[in-house]
Short mmCIF file of all heavy atoms in Angstrom, two decimals:
data_model
loop_
_atom_site.label_atom_id
_atom_site.label_comp_id
_atom_site.label_asym_id
_atom_site.label_seq_id
_atom_site.Cartn_x
_atom_site.Cartn_y
_atom_site.Cartn_z
N GLY A 275 -4.92 7.74 8.62
CA GLY A 275 -5.46 9.08 8.75
C GLY A 275 -6.90 9.13 9.36
O GLY A 275 -7.31 10.14 9.91
N SER A 276 -7.55 7.93 9.28
CA SER A 276 -8.92 7.81 9.79
C SER A 276 -9.02 7.69 11.24
O SER A 276 -9.99 8.05 11.94
CB SER A 276 -9.75 6.79 9.07
OG SER A 276 -9.74 7.08 7.60
N ILE A 277 -7.88 7.13 11.90
CA ILE A 277 -8.02 6.87 13.37
C ILE A 277 -7.41 8.02 14.12
O ILE A 277 -7.46 8.06 15.32
CB ILE A 277 -7.40 5.56 13.81
CG1 ILE A 277 -5.94 5.35 13.40
CG2 ILE A 277 -8.28 4.36 13.20
CD1 ILE A 277 -5.27 4.20 14.12
N ASP A 278 -6.71 8.92 13.42
CA ASP A 278 -6.10 10.12 14.09
C ASP A 278 -6.01 11.22 13.07
O ASP A 278 -5.48 10.96 11.96
CB ASP A 278 -4.61 9.64 14.50
CG ASP A 278 -4.04 10.75 15.37
OD1 ASP A 278 -3.74 11.90 14.77
OD2 ASP A 278 -3.67 10.48 16.54
N PRO A 279 -6.39 12.39 13.42
CA PRO A 279 -6.40 13.49 12.50
C PRO A 279 -4.95 13.76 11.89
O PRO A 279 -4.91 14.25 10.78
CB PRO A 279 -6.88 14.76 13.30
CG PRO A 279 -7.29 14.23 14.58
CD PRO A 279 -6.83 12.80 14.81
N LEU A 280 -3.95 13.37 12.52
CA LEU A 280 -2.52 13.57 12.07
C LEU A 280 -1.88 12.31 11.76
O LEU A 280 -0.64 12.11 11.70
CB LEU A 280 -1.63 14.47 13.05
CG LEU A 280 -2.20 15.89 13.14
CD1 LEU A 280 -1.29 16.61 14.21
CD2 LEU A 280 -2.13 16.67 11.81
N GLY A 281 -2.70 11.23 11.63
CA GLY A 281 -2.16 9.80 11.42
C GLY A 281 -1.24 9.81 10.28
O GLY A 281 -0.11 9.16 10.39
N ARG A 282 -1.58 10.39 9.08
CA ARG A 282 -0.69 10.18 7.98
C ARG A 282 0.62 10.94 8.16
O ARG A 282 1.69 10.42 7.82
CB ARG A 282 -1.40 10.63 6.71
CG ARG A 282 -2.50 9.70 6.14
CD ARG A 282 -3.38 10.25 5.15
NE ARG A 282 -4.10 11.42 5.62
CZ ARG A 282 -4.90 12.13 4.79
NH1 ARG A 282 -5.14 11.79 3.67
NH2 ARG A 282 -5.53 13.18 5.42
N GLU A 283 0.57 12.05 8.74
CA GLU A 283 1.74 12.88 9.08
C GLU A 283 2.70 12.02 9.98
O GLU A 283 3.92 12.08 9.81
CB GLU A 283 1.46 14.26 9.69
CG GLU A 283 0.79 15.22 8.87
CD GLU A 283 -0.72 15.07 8.69
OE1 GLU A 283 -1.29 13.98 8.87
OE2 GLU A 283 -1.36 16.16 8.35
N LYS A 284 2.11 11.39 10.97
CA LYS A 284 2.88 10.69 11.85
C LYS A 284 3.52 9.44 11.21
O LYS A 284 4.63 9.12 11.47
CB LYS A 284 2.14 10.11 13.07
CG LYS A 284 1.71 11.32 13.99
CD LYS A 284 0.79 11.00 15.12
CE LYS A 284 0.35 12.26 15.90
NZ LYS A 284 -0.81 12.02 16.81
N GLY A 285 2.78 8.84 10.31
CA GLY A 285 3.38 7.75 9.42
C GLY A 285 4.46 8.19 8.65
O GLY A 285 5.52 7.48 8.49
N ILE A 286 4.32 9.35 7.98
CA ILE A 286 5.43 9.79 7.11
C ILE A 286 6.74 10.08 7.97
O ILE A 286 7.84 9.69 7.61
CB ILE A 286 5.06 11.13 6.36
CG1 ILE A 286 3.85 10.74 5.42
CG2 ILE A 286 6.22 11.79 5.70
CD1 ILE A 286 4.28 10.05 4.14
N LYS A 287 6.44 10.71 8.99
CA LYS A 287 7.60 11.11 9.92
C LYS A 287 8.34 9.81 10.45
O LYS A 287 9.49 9.88 10.76
CB LYS A 287 7.22 11.94 11.13
CG LYS A 287 6.89 13.40 10.60
CD LYS A 287 7.00 14.40 11.73
CE LYS A 287 5.65 14.40 12.48
NZ LYS A 287 5.54 15.52 13.47
N ALA A 288 7.57 8.72 10.47
CA ALA A 288 8.21 7.52 11.03
C ALA A 288 8.77 6.61 9.88
O ALA A 288 9.09 5.44 10.08
CB ALA A 288 7.27 6.71 11.89
N GLY A 289 8.81 7.12 8.62
CA GLY A 289 9.50 6.27 7.64
C GLY A 289 8.68 6.06 6.36
O GLY A 289 9.14 5.49 5.38
N ALA A 290 7.34 6.35 6.36
CA ALA A 290 6.50 6.18 5.26
C ALA A 290 6.94 7.19 4.19
O ALA A 290 7.43 8.25 4.37
CB ALA A 290 5.05 6.16 5.55
N ASN A 291 6.58 6.93 2.85
CA ASN A 291 6.89 7.90 1.90
C ASN A 291 5.87 7.93 0.69
O ASN A 291 6.21 8.41 -0.44
CB ASN A 291 8.30 7.60 1.31
CG ASN A 291 8.40 6.30 0.42
OD1 ASN A 291 7.57 5.30 0.84
ND2 ASN A 291 9.30 6.12 -0.47
N VAL A 292 4.65 7.43 0.90
CA VAL A 292 3.70 7.45 -0.12
C VAL A 292 2.33 7.81 0.51
O VAL A 292 2.05 7.58 1.63
CB VAL A 292 3.44 6.04 -0.71
CG1 VAL A 292 2.25 5.95 -1.69
CG2 VAL A 292 4.69 5.61 -1.49
N VAL A 293 1.54 8.61 -0.31
CA VAL A 293 0.19 8.91 0.14
C VAL A 293 -0.79 8.58 -0.92
O VAL A 293 -0.40 8.70 -2.15
CB VAL A 293 -0.07 10.39 0.60
CG1 VAL A 293 0.51 10.62 1.99
CG2 VAL A 293 0.46 11.29 -0.44
N MET A 294 -1.99 8.17 -0.64
CA MET A 294 -2.98 7.79 -1.69
C MET A 294 -4.26 8.52 -1.61
O MET A 294 -5.32 8.01 -1.22
CB MET A 294 -3.22 6.26 -1.51
CG MET A 294 -1.86 5.50 -1.80
SD MET A 294 -2.10 3.70 -1.34
CE MET A 294 -3.10 3.17 -2.68
N PRO A 295 -4.19 9.84 -2.00
CA PRO A 295 -5.55 10.62 -1.98
C PRO A 295 -6.59 9.99 -2.90
O PRO A 295 -6.24 9.34 -3.88
CB PRO A 295 -5.19 11.96 -2.41
CG PRO A 295 -3.62 12.04 -2.20
CD PRO A 295 -3.16 10.65 -2.44
N ASN A 296 -7.89 10.29 -2.65
CA ASN A 296 -8.93 9.64 -3.31
C ASN A 296 -9.26 10.44 -4.55
O ASN A 296 -9.37 11.63 -4.56
CB ASN A 296 -10.15 9.69 -2.33
CG ASN A 296 -11.14 8.66 -2.70
OD1 ASN A 296 -11.40 8.42 -3.91
ND2 ASN A 296 -11.52 7.94 -1.59
N LEU A 297 -9.41 9.68 -5.60
CA LEU A 297 -9.86 10.32 -6.92
C LEU A 297 -11.22 9.85 -7.32
O LEU A 297 -11.67 10.20 -8.46
CB LEU A 297 -8.81 9.82 -8.04
CG LEU A 297 -7.67 10.78 -8.43
CD1 LEU A 297 -7.01 10.00 -9.69
CD2 LEU A 297 -8.09 12.09 -8.91
N SER A 298 -11.84 8.96 -6.55
CA SER A 298 -13.18 8.51 -6.85
C SER A 298 -14.24 9.59 -6.92
O SER A 298 -14.10 10.56 -6.15
CB SER A 298 -13.64 7.43 -5.91
OG SER A 298 -12.60 6.56 -5.54
N PRO A 299 -15.34 9.48 -7.67
CA PRO A 299 -16.29 10.49 -7.71
C PRO A 299 -16.90 10.59 -6.25
O PRO A 299 -17.07 9.56 -5.48
CB PRO A 299 -17.38 9.93 -8.68
CG PRO A 299 -16.69 8.92 -9.44
CD PRO A 299 -15.46 8.35 -8.58
N THR A 300 -17.21 11.79 -5.80
CA THR A 300 -17.63 12.02 -4.40
C THR A 300 -18.91 11.23 -4.08
O THR A 300 -18.99 10.75 -2.94
CB THR A 300 -18.07 13.54 -4.23
OG1 THR A 300 -16.97 14.23 -4.98
CG2 THR A 300 -17.97 13.95 -2.80
N ASP A 301 -19.84 11.02 -5.05
CA ASP A 301 -21.07 10.32 -4.68
C ASP A 301 -20.92 8.90 -4.45
O ASP A 301 -21.83 8.16 -3.93
CB ASP A 301 -22.14 10.54 -5.81
CG ASP A 301 -21.67 10.09 -7.14
OD1 ASP A 301 -20.49 10.10 -7.45
OD2 ASP A 301 -22.62 9.65 -7.91
N VAL A 302 -19.82 8.22 -4.75
CA VAL A 302 -19.64 6.84 -4.37
C VAL A 302 -18.71 6.60 -3.18
O VAL A 302 -18.60 5.50 -2.69
CB VAL A 302 -19.08 5.91 -5.62
CG1 VAL A 302 -19.98 6.20 -6.78
CG2 VAL A 302 -17.66 6.34 -5.92
N ARG A 303 -17.96 7.64 -2.74
CA ARG A 303 -16.98 7.47 -1.76
C ARG A 303 -17.42 6.91 -0.50
O ARG A 303 -16.75 5.99 0.10
CB ARG A 303 -16.29 8.75 -1.42
CG ARG A 303 -15.40 9.16 -2.59
CD ARG A 303 -14.47 10.22 -2.07
NE ARG A 303 -13.84 10.96 -3.22
CZ ARG A 303 -13.04 11.82 -3.11
NH1 ARG A 303 -12.65 12.37 -1.94
NH2 ARG A 303 -12.46 12.47 -4.18
N ASP A 304 -18.58 7.25 0.02
CA ASP A 304 -19.02 6.72 1.34
C ASP A 304 -19.51 5.27 1.16
O ASP A 304 -19.70 4.57 2.06
CB ASP A 304 -20.00 7.67 2.04
CG ASP A 304 -21.18 7.94 1.22
OD1 ASP A 304 -21.14 7.63 0.02
OD2 ASP A 304 -22.20 8.53 1.74
N LYS A 305 -19.77 4.85 -0.16
CA LYS A 305 -20.22 3.46 -0.36
C LYS A 305 -19.08 2.48 -0.31
O LYS A 305 -19.28 1.27 -0.18
CB LYS A 305 -20.95 3.36 -1.73
CG LYS A 305 -22.22 4.19 -1.73
CD LYS A 305 -22.92 4.03 -3.09
CE LYS A 305 -23.98 5.11 -3.28
NZ LYS A 305 -24.39 5.32 -4.59
N TYR A 306 -17.80 2.96 -0.60
CA TYR A 306 -16.65 2.11 -0.49
C TYR A 306 -16.22 2.14 0.99
O TYR A 306 -15.16 2.55 1.38
CB TYR A 306 -15.66 2.68 -1.40
CG TYR A 306 -14.53 1.62 -1.79
CD1 TYR A 306 -14.78 0.69 -2.69
CD2 TYR A 306 -13.26 1.69 -1.16
CE1 TYR A 306 -13.76 -0.37 -3.03
CE2 TYR A 306 -12.26 0.75 -1.41
CZ TYR A 306 -12.55 -0.21 -2.44
OH TYR A 306 -11.51 -1.17 -2.66
N ALA A 307 -17.13 1.57 1.74
CA ALA A 307 -16.90 1.68 3.24
C ALA A 307 -16.37 0.39 3.80
O ALA A 307 -16.98 -0.45 4.40
CB ALA A 307 -18.31 1.91 3.87
N LEU A 308 -14.99 0.19 3.50
CA LEU A 308 -14.36 -0.99 4.04
C LEU A 308 -14.31 -1.05 5.60
O LEU A 308 -14.47 -1.95 6.17
CB LEU A 308 -12.87 -1.02 3.58
CG LEU A 308 -12.67 -0.91 2.05
CD1 LEU A 308 -11.11 -1.05 1.82
CD2 LEU A 308 -13.34 -1.96 1.33
N TYR A 309 -14.19 0.18 6.16
CA TYR A 309 -14.22 0.34 7.55
C TYR A 309 -15.01 1.62 8.00
O TYR A 309 -15.23 2.47 7.01
CB TYR A 309 -12.69 0.43 8.10
CG TYR A 309 -11.87 1.36 7.34
CD1 TYR A 309 -11.90 2.67 7.67
CD2 TYR A 309 -11.10 0.86 6.30
CE1 TYR A 309 -11.01 3.56 6.94
CE2 TYR A 309 -10.21 1.72 5.59
CZ TYR A 309 -10.26 3.11 5.88
OH TYR A 309 -9.46 4.01 5.12
N ASP A 310 -15.30 1.86 9.22
CA ASP A 310 -16.03 3.01 9.61
C ASP A 310 -15.09 4.31 9.78
O ASP A 310 -13.97 4.12 10.00
CB ASP A 310 -16.66 2.74 10.99
CG ASP A 310 -17.88 1.77 10.86
OD1 ASP A 310 -18.40 1.55 9.65
OD2 ASP A 310 -18.31 1.32 11.99
N GLY A 311 -15.68 5.42 9.65
CA GLY A 311 -14.99 6.67 9.94
C GLY A 311 -13.98 7.05 8.86
O GLY A 311 -13.02 7.81 9.23
N LYS A 312 -14.18 6.56 7.68
CA LYS A 312 -13.14 6.87 6.63
C LYS A 312 -13.14 8.39 6.38
O LYS A 312 -14.18 9.00 6.10
CB LYS A 312 -13.53 6.09 5.36
CG LYS A 312 -12.51 6.05 4.22
CD LYS A 312 -12.94 5.14 3.18
CE LYS A 312 -12.50 5.49 1.83
NZ LYS A 312 -13.44 5.07 0.80
#
Side-chain angles (χ1 to χ4, degrees):
S276 297
I277 60 166
D278 184 295
L280 293 177
R282 285 170 299 179
E283 287 85 336
K284 290 174 185 165
I286 294 289
K287 287 200 275 187
N291 66 333
V292 172
V293 285
M294 299 170 70
N296 207 316
L297 264 184
S298 314
T300 318
D301 59 328
V302 304
R303 286 197 196 178
D304 55 347
K305 298 181 192 163
Y306 198 79
L308 307 183
Y309 48 83
D310 288 343
K312 190 174 149 206

